[in-house]
């Protein structure tokens, strides 16, 4: 059931991180409380983890992909339950819940090995044409 490539997951990481940082302003809950800070902190952590992950869009490549995906699921779970955990569900919860569940889904549906690493491990490079035949 892991059909998302690590390259696509990298794009999702950066977009989700940015979305979580700006969502409180766009959706009107930038009020200086946990409702604002939790998604912004999670977003910054997602971007930081993406920069340090060993995949196509990583800059430093220190975090193994399986560890990164575990962190995504954990971050998504925290985000999804944060309105109730931190007591702001009476004001806002949908963005946290929806984006948290999407983050969990991305973590569970992404391949654990970058295609370039898989090609290197098997001793041959896979081209786009090879995959379509």
């Amino acid at each position: 059931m892991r059909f998302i490539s690590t390259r696509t997951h990298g794009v999702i990481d950066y977009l989700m991180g940015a979305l979580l940082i700006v969502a409180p302003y766009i959706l009107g809950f930038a009020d200086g409380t946990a409702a604002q800070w939790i998604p912004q902190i999670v977003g910054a952590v997602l971007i930081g983890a993406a920069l340090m992950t060993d995949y196509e869009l990583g800059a430093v490549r220190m975090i193994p992909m399986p560890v990164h995906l575990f962190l995504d699921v954990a971050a998504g779970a925290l985000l999804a339950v944060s309105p109730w955990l931190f007591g702001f569900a009476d004001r806002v919860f949908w963005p946290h819940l929806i984006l948290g569940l999407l983050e969990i889904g991305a973590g569970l549906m992404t391949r654990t090995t970058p295609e370039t690493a898989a090609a290197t491990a098997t001793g041959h490079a896979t081209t786009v044409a090879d995959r379509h035949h």
Side-chain angles (χ1 to χ4, degrees):
M1 188 155 124
R2 292 186 179 272
F3 58 87
I4 299 172
S5 72
T6 54
R7 180 179 298 279
T8 299
H9 186 94
V11 172
I12 292 168
D13 283 336
Y14 291 109
L15 292 175
M16 179 68 83
L19 177 59
L20 287 168
I21 291 169
V22 301
Y25 301 104
I26 295 170
L27 301 175
F29 59 92
D31 56 5
T33 67
Q36 173 184 346
W37 289 108
I38 299 295
Q40 290 183 318
I41 290 167
V42 170
V45 168
L46 289 180
I47 291 171
L51 288 168
M52 296 181 359
T53 295
D54 185 14
Y55 66 168
E56 296 90 342
L57 300 182
V60 181
R61 300 189 180 201
M62 294 171 37
I63 302 172
M65 196 65 199
V67 173
H68 174 104
L69 296 174
F70 173 80
L71 294 173
D72 280 349
V73 172
L78 173 65
L79 186 61
V81 302
S82 66
W84 297 274
L85 189 63
F86 295 99
F88 57 85
D90 58 328
R91 293 182 297 115
V92 59
F93 70 89
W94 282 114
H96 303 75
L97 179 61
I98 291 169
L99 295 175
L101 292 174
L102 287 173
E103 187 65 19
I104 292 168
L108 294 175
M109 292 186 265
T110 298
R111 295 183 197 125
T112 57
T113 308
E115 289 183 24
T116 52
T120 304
T122 61
H124 68 282
T126 304
T127 65
V128 173
D130 292 336
R131 285 181 285 207
H132 292 292
H133 292 307

